[in-house]
Amino acid sequence: MAKALVVYATITGNNEDVADIITDALEDLDVEVDEVEMTMADPVDFEDADICVICPYTYDEGALPEEGLDFYEDLQDEQLQGKVYGVAGSGDTFYGDDFCVAVDKFGAAFAKTGAIKGAENVKINLAPDEEDIEKLDAFAKQLVEKAAKLDD
């Protein structure tokens, strides 16, 4: 059975909702999932997972979550070859070009680890709606499919 670790940071609860949706979708696909708030996790924890997911929020005008700055820096030093990763998070389109910038920054950090991108980044405006749930379910499915191909 594949194992996944879903790490999230949230202020409003929207990213915890995103993480919950992804966790549920992965569990429905027979993946063993741990879901952890970012301050309670360390990037080294991804070494015990096949599928690595981060759900960050973007603060103000493109800032990373303050409580996730160390996590972000440490992630870039991890060696996660053979792992599959994905990044999904919510933001506010009010911030224009800074909408969900943290999603892209964490995706770039994952890329430095040697992990394999399993799905395109998912960016959600505010709280996830029905259409977003469908996107997140598809995101989870793509991650599982990519991880399964690596096992073949």
Side-chain angles (χ1 to χ4, degrees), residues 28-39:
D28 288 346
L29 295 166
D30 295 323
V31 176
E32 180 184 325
V33 186
D34 285 327
E35 182 180 324
V36 183
E37 199 277 323
M38 194 170 282
T39 60

Side-chain angles (χ1 to χ4, degrees), residues 47-63:
E47 292 177 11
D48 296 327
D50 305 300
I51 299 169
C52 310
V53 179
I54 295 180
C55 303
Y57 66 85
T58 303
Y59 187 72
D60 197 27
E61 296 177 352

Side-chain angles (χ1 to χ4, degrees), residues 1-2 4 6 19-35 51 137 140 144:
M1 176 184 282
V6 178
D20 289 347
I21 293 163
I22 293 168
T23 295
D24 290 346
L26 289 169
E27 288 174 344
D28 288 346
L29 295 166
D30 295 323
V31 176
E32 180 184 325
V33 186
D34 285 327
E35 182 180 324
I51 299 169
D137 286 347
V144 170

